[in-house]
Amino acid sequence: TGLPIYKAAETAKIQRIWVFLIAAKQPEAEEAVEQALLQSRHNQRAEETQYEPSVPKKDFLEFVNDENSDLTLIFGLGKTSAKRIADNRPYTSLEDMQKKLGSKAPLKKWLKAYQQNDNLK
């Protein structure tokens, strides 16, 4: 039955369930389900850690909106990107910034680099 999969997803508080049919004996199938549950928890923790800013987004937005800020001090942000950011000011939110710069702009990478540079805060 799908009950063990449902229970595992419920325990992990997963909102979406991908079901894989496993042609194996029950102990091997249970092991596969357990591994999937552990991997799911690991991925969720990694995602939360990676994208949770330790510096308020407001500080980052104030920095990029400030005409006196040297945007190239943010690691990974070159002169071309800095000019594009400056040309599209002001930004009201990170979503607004992403929209104005395009989906390919590595905004999360720049935010993380800003957070790690104590000289910019």
Side-chain angles (χ1 to χ4, degrees):
T1 71
L3 186 59
I5 295 171
Y6 173 78
K7 288 293 185 189
E10 186 178 58
T11 300
K13 298 180 182 170
I14 296 173
Q15 294 178 353
R16 295 184 191 169
I17 301 173
W18 288 270
V19 178
F20 299 93
L21 297 177
I22 303 168
K25 295 180 182 175
Q26 184 171 351
E28 294 167 350
E30 288 174 353
E31 176 65 25
V33 169
E34 181 64 27
Q35 288 301 317
L37 177 61
L38 290 173
Q39 185 64 40
S40 172
R41 287 181 183 157
H42 172 73
N43 289 343
Q44 184 176 4
R45 281 193 304 270
E47 184 176 311
E48 288 169 357
T49 301
Q50 185 177 2
Y51 299 118
E52 274 307 309
S54 59
V55 173
K57 294 173 186 177
K58 179 182 163 200
D59 292 352
F60 176 72
L61 286 172
E62 286 176 1
F63 181 80
V64 297
N65 280 325
D66 185 348
E67 292 180 10
N68 296 317
S69 294
D70 182 357
L71 300 174
T72 61
L73 293 176
I74 299 174
F75 181 78
L77 205 156
K79 290 181 181 182
T80 304
S81 295
K83 181 175 179 353
R84 204 167 89 227
I85 290 170
D87 290 346
N88 286 289
R89 287 179 182 136
Y91 303 101
T92 57
S93 66
L94 292 179
E95 293 78 16
D96 178 48
M97 189 173 179
Q98 191 75 67
K99 182 179 174 184
K100 288 180 178 179
L101 298 177
S103 62
K104 295 193 180 212
L107 187 56
K108 291 179 183 176
K109 183 175 123 181
W110 295 337
L111 178 59
K112 186 175 180 180
Y114 172 82
Q115 293 168 350
Q116 293 173 345
N117 190 336
D118 292 329
N119 297 325
L120 301 178
K121 298 173 207 145

